[in-house]
Amino acid sequence: RTVTGVQTCALPIFSVSGALEYRMEWFRAGDTTFHLLFQAGETQQTLIDFTCLIGLLVTVWSGEYFNDEKKHSRFYHTLSLFMLSMTGLLMAGDLLLVFFCWELVGLCSYLLVGYYRESSTAGDTSFAAMLTNKIGDAGFLVAMMILWSSAGTLDIGILSAGSSSAALDTASLRSGSFAAGWCILLAICSKSAQFPLHGWLPRAMAGPTPASALIHSATMVAAGVFLFWRLDFVFTPELQWTAGVQ
């Protein structure tokens, strides 16, 4: 009931015109300050509404699905964490925050795929899904390191406008973006189950059907597509062609 109420309330919050932005200090590392930066343009607001709506429908359906099971609070707790993580991923304006939410989404997938602990295959399938996703996560991490060393920032807005920013080394950023683009493409392929990192998705259906409907069919596998749109500035025409073939 709590999950349903939260998701219902979330629907009208982001149904507003114009872009939203919220920034606050997160932590400091030496002389560098990292911020929690949340942004929601019209496209992101639409995706958030869609995600919350699908989450609400799946939550209501889950009540009937688990009708004969006495203990399923763990499922709803994990589902709530997934919805929070997915919403954060859609709103994140900084690559570090994107990566943090990206990891939480993968954690929720791992927990839900292996939800039926008494099953002998649940542990194997959840581990295989996690291992495949970690390959992409490593690529994402390397991409962040490349962009940080090239531009000195992980702010997506600053990185995308790097060519017109006098504060950035444009040549360095462009060369870094080429290498980072391939690493990001690896992350996209793993999260969205694209060749050659697609093998985990069929086995992930071992989890509860509502989890498969929400995470592995409607939202999490679309996270890679969203990341491709959000970080389009790192993709050269050759990379875009490769992604189109995928």
Side-chain angles (χ1 to χ4, degrees):
R1 294 177 182 176
T2 302
V3 178
T4 303
V6 170
Q7 291 172 353
T8 303
C9 293
L11 290 175
I13 290 178
F14 298 104
S15 298
V16 297
S17 59
L20 304 175
E21 182 172 319
Y22 176 77
R23 181 193 297 266
M24 65 173 291
E25 184 176 318
W26 191 4
F27 66 92
R28 294 184 180 183
D31 297 331
T32 304
T33 301
F34 293 90
H35 294 87
L36 284 174
L37 176 59
F38 294 97
Q39 298 172 327
E42 292 185 1
T43 300
Q44 289 154 291
Q45 291 174 29
T46 301
L47 292 173
I48 291 169
D49 282 348
F50 176 77
T51 300
C52 290
L53 176 60
I54 297 298
L56 172 63
L57 295 176
V58 170
T59 302
V60 174
W61 173 39
S62 299
E64 187 66 27
Y65 181 85
F66 288 106
N67 189 43
D68 297 330
E69 297 188 26
K70 295 181 179 181
K71 296 181 179 180
H72 50 262
S73 59
R74 179 164 52 92
F75 173 83
Y76 286 112
H77 292 158
T78 308
L79 195 66
S80 298
L81 178 60
F82 171 80
M83 293 300 301
L84 175 65
S85 305
M86 193 67 195
T87 304
L89 176 63
L90 294 173
M91 294 184 65
D94 184 276
L95 275 178
L96 186 60
L97 182 57
V98 172
F99 182 74
F100 180 76
C101 295
W102 185 269
E103 288 296 299
L104 282 178
V105 166
L107 173 64
C108 294
S109 173
Y110 167 76
L111 293 175
L112 289 172
V113 170
Y115 178 78
Y116 293 118
R117 297 173 178 173
E118 64 279 4
S119 172
S120 59
T121 60
D124 294 338
T125 54
S126 59
F127 180 77
M130 180 190 68
L131 186 62
T132 304
N133 274 272
K134 288 307 171 187
I135 296 174
D137 295 346
F140 199 152
L141 188 60
V142 171
M144 288 198 303
M145 295 170 63
I146 293 173
L147 292 173
W148 175 263
S149 63
S150 300
T153 182
L154 294 177
D155 188 306
I156 296 175
I158 296 177
L159 289 172
S160 63
S163 58
S164 59
S165 176
L168 298 180
D169 185 344
T170 304
S172 176
L173 178 59
R174 287 178 177 173
S175 61
S177 295
F178 178 78
W182 282 102
C183 295
I184 291 294
L185 185 60
L186 180 65
I188 291 173
C189 288
S190 67
K191 191 70 73 177
S192 294
Q194 299 299 305
F195 180 83
L197 301 175
H198 62 290
W200 67 269
L201 185 57
R203 289 178 287 180
M205 300 304 167
T209 302
S212 298
L214 175 64
I215 297 180
H216 304 125
S217 297
T219 51
M220 192 185 86
V221 292
V225 179
F226 171 78
L227 190 67
F228 182 83
W229 169 77
R230 196 79 170 90
L231 304 180
D232 64 325
F233 56 88
V234 303
F235 293 103
T236 62
E238 293 80 11
L239 271 176
Q240 294 177 5
W241 183 87
T242 302
V245 172
Q246 291 288 341

